[in-house]
Amino acid sequence: MPLKKTEKLTQAANTYKSILNAMEEWVVIVDHQSKIFFINRPYARFLGVKAEDVKGKKVTDVIENTRMHITVQTGKAERLSLQKILGSNMIASRFPIIEQGEVIGAIGTVIFHDTHEWKQINTHIKALLTEQDFNHQKQLTSDKALSGASFHLNDVIGDSQIMKALSAKVKQVSSGDVTVLIRGESGTGKELYAHAIHQLSDRAESPFIKVNCAAIPENLLESELFGYEEGAFTGAKRGGKAGKFQLANGGTLFLDEIGDMPLPMQAKLLRVLQDREVESVGGTHATPLNIRLITATHRPLENLIASGAFRADLYYRINVVSIALPPLRERREDIAKLADFFLQKLSRRTGRRAPKLTVQALTAMLAYDWPGNIRELENVMEAAFYTSHDRKIPLSLLPAQLSQTPTNVAPTATDITASQTSGSLKEQLNAAERNIIKAALIECGDNRTKAAQKLGISKSTFYEKIDKYGIS
């Protein structure tokens, strides 16, 4: 005699009960009468009920805006649909349970507990896919050019803890439309991070428009940002011109060096951001705006506010989420990797084999404070690349400000940690030893046997230290 519908559900539910209760996803199972047969603990906790108390109740009496009863009636699945429960927009799926052609119930799952969580997962998946297929992504320059964004988070070089934490924060804020202020010294890569935020956002396929507020004359900045109508002023083009705000509509607008924006222009920008609409110069109609705003500056905005050079109300409007980029002197462990990256980049461009830094040269670079940050490092590597001989970059080929540091002798822990006074003595010595090993590997072309010989230690000791410091 065939089993009854409820008995079949009982067998299935008992088999997977422990698994379903352990899942983070919320799960509910109803019988052929749309009565709750099983609800897992996470879902019950969210609803504020006990699983055993709601068993046997109509699902429509327990779960707000449910469509489980419709799935039972129609026998059709509903995938990834919005459902508002207790004020939050969930993303839920519902599937009929069919046995021998007959609907005996339905199972529903809530995978994303709000739309923000879905956006964060979407951003995370984008980052993973890009990492997995980065070489392919680098070839799609024409596609990136269409949106205007040409850099991704994978273009960031460095595996120091401070950079890992920075990348994690960028991934976290990229998914939403929150306004971001990127702060950092000149040469730290502010524009790169603006590109990366856009690439990881839901607007990645939409325009990415950038404006350098310091590079445009004050009398042209308004028309450049907001556009103008035909005849708005002497020299205006026939038919007028769309401004950066109009071009960025639906996408992302990046205002670089916003700390250099003149005060009168700050007031007009604030009005546009508050009203979410823009009116071109000489125009009579406002255009509604749907943009994400990213700004950047190397200037201390708080000091500018105190001196009256920057509006406090605009500061609070743009400083919703602040991302601070560290100067190169605060991430010295990335210097060797960055230097090698720039040398390899030049090698690919010229077809010439990349030279290697000597230990003395890299030691000097590690001790230098790099006031121009990554941009300065790239320039130094370019000069050294074209002046090097025998595929070596000795200390003598580096600029005077580097070669005059107290590092033009054999490398020692004191040399490398000369300007790194944070941390205990043990931490500083470990950092120095790690940098010396990395320098030896670079000079020896990643040949570990030669690097061990150069440092005068056994191969086994060398491998132990590589494992200790996590050097790849």
Side-chain angles (χ1 to χ4, degrees), residues 32-324:
H32 63 288
Q33 295 179 322
S34 300
K35 294 181 179 179
I36 293 178
F37 184 81
F38 172 83
I39 186 168
N40 71 344
R41 292 194 194 102
Y43 205 170
R45 278 196 297 268
F46 171 75
L47 295 172
V49 300
K50 291 184 178 180
E52 55 271 22
D53 292 344
V54 297
K55 186 174 181 179
K57 290 186 177 181
K58 283 281 188 181
V59 68
T60 50
D61 295 333
V62 178
I63 301 177
E64 184 181 2
N65 297 317
T66 185
R67 289 176 57 86
M68 293 290 289
H69 57 298
I70 297 175
T71 301
V72 171
Q73 292 167 8
T74 64
K76 294 181 179 179
E78 296 181 353
R79 294 176 175 84
L80 301 177
S81 61
L82 280 175
Q83 179 180 346
K84 180 168 277 190
I85 308 176
L86 300 182
S88 295
N89 286 315
M90 315 286 178
I91 297 180
S93 295
R94 308 166 193 92
F95 304 92
I97 302 173
I98 300 174
E99 181 72 25
Q100 296 180 349
E102 186 179 16
V103 177
I104 63 172
I107 181 169
T109 61
V110 177
I111 302 174
F112 302 112
H113 304 154
D114 56 45
T115 51
H116 175 67
E117 183 179 272
W118 175 82
K119 287 182 178 180
Q120 283 192 313
I121 293 292
N122 188 41
T123 295
H124 180 64
I125 291 172
K126 282 185 179 180
L128 290 178
L129 287 174
T130 306
E131 290 171 11
Q132 184 184 47
D133 200 19
F134 185 50
N135 290 331
H136 175 65
Q137 291 291 330
K138 291 295 285 183
Q139 294 173 5
L140 300 180
T141 53
S142 59
D143 292 341
K144 289 185 177 182
L146 292 175
S147 73
S150 53
F151 300 108
H152 195 277
L153 197 58
N154 283 320
D155 289 304
V156 177
I157 305 299
D159 51 12
S160 58
Q161 288 301 316
I162 193 170
M163 296 306 291
K164 289 178 180 177
L166 182 60
S167 292
K169 184 173 183 179
V170 168
K171 291 177 183 177
Q172 185 179 14
V173 304
S174 293
S175 59
D177 272 346
V178 64
T179 299
V180 179
L181 171 62
I182 305 173
R183 312 186 70 162
E185 297 176 7
S186 294
T188 50
K190 296 185 289 295
E191 183 176 338
L192 187 154
Y193 276 94
H195 284 242
I197 291 170
H198 174 77
Q199 295 278 36
L200 288 173
S201 73
D202 292 339
R203 299 174 182 261
E205 303 301 322
S206 300
F208 176 85
I209 305 297
K210 56 185 178 181
V211 181
N212 189 322
C213 299
I216 302 174
E218 182 176 349
N219 61 326
L220 298 179
L221 189 56
E222 181 177 6
S223 60
E224 188 70 18
L225 286 178
F226 307 143
Y228 58 83
E229 299 295 324
E230 182 177 345
F233 51 82
T234 302
K237 290 182 179 180
R238 180 176 295 179
K241 180 184 175 183
K244 301 299 186 183
F245 271 93
Q246 290 93 333
L247 294 174
N249 217 356
T252 302
L253 179 65
F254 173 47
L255 298 180
D256 198 6
E257 301 298 354
I258 195 169
D260 294 292
M261 180 176 284
L263 271 172
M265 196 64 231
Q266 292 178 30
K268 295 175 182 178
L269 173 62
L270 179 64
R271 176 182 54 78
V272 170
L273 296 180
Q274 288 175 337
D275 297 343
R276 307 297 294 180
E277 60 181 22
V278 61
E279 187 175 307
S280 57
V281 178
T284 57
H285 301 287
T287 301
L289 285 178
N290 171 25
I291 64 167
R292 182 185 196 168
L293 182 67
I294 302 175
T295 60
T297 184
H298 72 283
R299 305 189 67 185
L301 294 183
E302 294 80 6
N303 294 348
L304 295 178
I305 292 171
S307 65
F310 200 85
R311 295 180 63 106
D313 45 6
L314 178 59
Y315 170 78
Y316 293 117
R317 175 70 63 174
I318 65 174
N319 189 30
V320 180
V321 171
S322 180
I323 293 179

